[in-house]
């Protein structure tokens, strides 16, 4: 992989990760508004990530 291609891949990865983080933050805020404590919200998120297919 060339340095330029590697840099582009890193930028894309960072952008996608940022978008996912924003979506997760919104879900967490919605759950907290519904009365779920952050400790449970984190547990839900962790379990959801673990159940993703490989």
């Amino acid at each position: 992989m060339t340095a330029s291609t590697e840099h582009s891949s890193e930028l894309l990865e960072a952008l996608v990760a940022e978008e996912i983080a924003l979506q997760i933050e919104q879900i967490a805020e919605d759950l907290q508004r519904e009365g779920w404590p952050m400790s449970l919200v984190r547990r839900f998120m962790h379990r959801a990530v673990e159940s993703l297919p490989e």
Side-chain angles (χ1 to χ4, degrees):
M1 200 183 292
T2 67
S4 177
T5 302
E6 187 173 321
H7 183 69
S8 293
S9 293
E10 289 174 5
L11 286 174
L12 179 59
E13 183 178 328
L15 287 172
V16 171
E18 184 177 338
E19 178 60 30
I20 291 170
L22 290 171
Q23 292 178 26
I24 289 171
E25 186 177 329
Q26 184 61 53
I27 292 167
E29 287 175 5
D30 290 346
L31 288 170
Q32 282 189 293
R33 254 187 251 107
E34 292 177 14
W36 293 98
M38 184 51 92
S39 60
L40 281 178
V41 171
R42 286 180 181 198
R43 190 180 307 169
F44 299 156
M45 298 285 185
H46 181 74
R47 191 164 189 173
V49 169
E50 284 183 338
S51 68
L52 289 172
E54 290 293 322

